Amino acid sequence: MVLLAVAGYLVVQYVTGGAGAPGCKVTSVGGGSARTTYEFTPEQAVNAATITAVGTARKLPEQAVTIALATALQESALRNLDHGDKDSLGLFQQRPSWGWGTPEEIMDPAYSAGAFYDHLVKVPGYLDLPVTDAAQRVQRSGFPDAYAKHEPDAELLAAALTGRSAATLTCDGRPGATREKGPDAIRAALVRDFGHTVLQPAGTDVDADGNGNASTGTAAGSGSGSGSDERTVTVPVTGGTGAGAEREAGRRGWQLAHWAVANASALHIQRVSYAGREWTAGNTDSKWYPTTATEDKGADEGGKGAERTAGSVRITSAR
């Protein structure tokens, strides 16, 4: 009976990638009336956001993130599994016996994502390969073609979580069973996924102890109803200099904003504001609402929607 249960689980994983009660949604508005939507759970959202943040922190292109997300969708349905085939563990079902790391390391989503990218970038021409081929070169799976069916969902997630597609990711924001809450927990999670410099304005050095401290208080363009300063973490948005800096800043801002929404249940986040738009926990209509009269009109693409970038993302904790 145990063997039958395991076999049934593996079949479901292969056919469906694993399903759960959705609480988050990412929507892309294409040409004309075409709409594509992917619904997933808060747990899956947190893990997808971490995978994406680790990739972009390494300056990897969106295609690399798409490959990583498609792989994790197939291997674990974006869940941090403490079991699997033989000694496989985690988001990517990596095996300690194959040199992927210790069990404790592999069960750390940021570590396992980094380990996947370490192997991916060593694949010659991986950006030019089909997603399923690039994933298979890393994973060496018994189902080499299984990753292909997850490519559309992975592309949709990658577009939102890298910030290219703006104001497209929403979650119900129902608090989860976690002790992580408050501004300090938000800062710690940001540093975990993006690195210490995420909380530092451009040109500011990281603290001597290696930790960054986000500013609080009123920020330009924060919008109405941003919450008290004691509960709000203001994350600076920078996009470099020269041509394309504004577009880059817009993508960075929406990546941070979508990351915060994806982590809303885990970190008890009540509100996220960026570029004249605001998401609030508890809204069930899956929308980002304008916070000012000058609504950002480029909501379907991060680069085009950066015209009124506020320079910071405001994340307000529920408590």
Side-chain angles (χ1 to χ4, degrees):
M1 290 180 67
V2 172
L3 290 175
L4 287 173
V6 171
Y9 169 79
L10 293 175
V11 169
V12 170
Q13 285 296 104
Y14 176 73
V15 174
T16 69
C24 298
K25 178 188 296 185
V26 58
T27 302
S28 176
V29 181
S33 60
R35 296 178 64 86
T36 305
T37 300
Y38 176 68
E39 296 187 13
F40 52 128
T41 68
E43 176 191 2
Q44 292 171 315
V46 170
N47 291 327
T50 293
I51 291 170
T52 304
V54 171
T56 57
R58 294 173 176 230
K59 308 298 184 183
L60 295 177
E62 185 178 327
Q63 180 66 5
V65 173
T66 298
I67 296 167
L69 290 171
T71 303
L73 279 165
Q74 169 58 29
E75 297 292 348
S76 68
L78 285 171
R79 293 174 295 164
N80 197 25
L81 301 177
D82 62 359
H83 59 276
D85 179 45
K86 298 179 181 178
D87 60 339
S88 300
L89 296 168
L91 291 172
F92 296 91
Q93 290 291 279
Q94 294 157 337
R95 298 181 61 183
S97 61
W98 284 15
W100 283 96
T102 67
E104 293 76 16
E105 288 173 331
I106 292 172
M107 289 301 294
D108 176 355
Y111 172 90
S112 63
F116 178 85
Y117 287 123
D118 285 342
H119 285 72
L120 178 64
V121 297
K122 294 177 182 178
V123 175
Y126 76 94
L127 292 175
D128 298 321
L129 293 174
V131 166
T132 194
D133 290 348
Q136 175 62 7
R137 298 283 182 91
V138 176
Q139 297 296 107
R140 292 180 286 172
S141 168
F143 302 100
D145 299 322
Y147 307 101
K149 66 179 177 292
H150 299 290
E151 184 174 354
D153 293 334
E155 289 178 342
L156 197 60
L157 284 170
L161 289 168
T162 62
R164 178 171 62 83
S165 181
T168 55
L169 189 149
T170 57
C171 291
D172 292 343
R174 294 186 296 268
T178 176
R179 295 181 180 179
E180 293 183 299
K181 61 182 68 175
D184 288 342
I186 294 171
R187 294 185 184 99
L190 281 162
V191 170
R192 174 198 68 204
D193 286 1
F194 291 96
H196 294 298
T197 59
V198 67
L199 299 174
Q200 299 298 318
T204 301
D205 294 331
V206 177
D207 294 343
D209 61 0
N211 295 317
N213 294 310
S215 61
T216 58
T218 303
S222 61
S224 60
S226 295
S228 64
D229 293 344
E230 292 77 13
R231 295 190 293 118
T232 299
V233 175
T234 304
V235 188
V237 175
T238 58
T241 59
E246 188 175 39
R247 180 181 295 271
E248 182 182 345
R251 290 190 61 161
R252 174 66 167 180
W254 280 111
Q255 179 182 14
L256 291 165
H258 284 158
W259 176 94
V261 173
N263 280 272
S265 293
L267 297 174
H268 291 210
I269 292 170
Q270 179 182 19
R271 184 179 297 109
V272 181
S273 303
Y274 177 63
R277 288 179 179 264
E278 186 171 85
W279 166 90
T280 304
N283 282 358
T284 58
D285 53 358
S286 302
K287 291 182 180 179
W288 284 76
Y289 285 96
T291 57
T292 66
T294 56
E295 176 182 353
D296 175 24
K297 300 183 183 303
D300 59 340
E301 185 175 344
K304 293 180 180 179
E307 296 89 351
R308 299 180 180 86
T309 300
S312 62
V313 175
R314 290 175 59 84
I315 306 171
T316 301
S317 172
R319 53 185 300 183

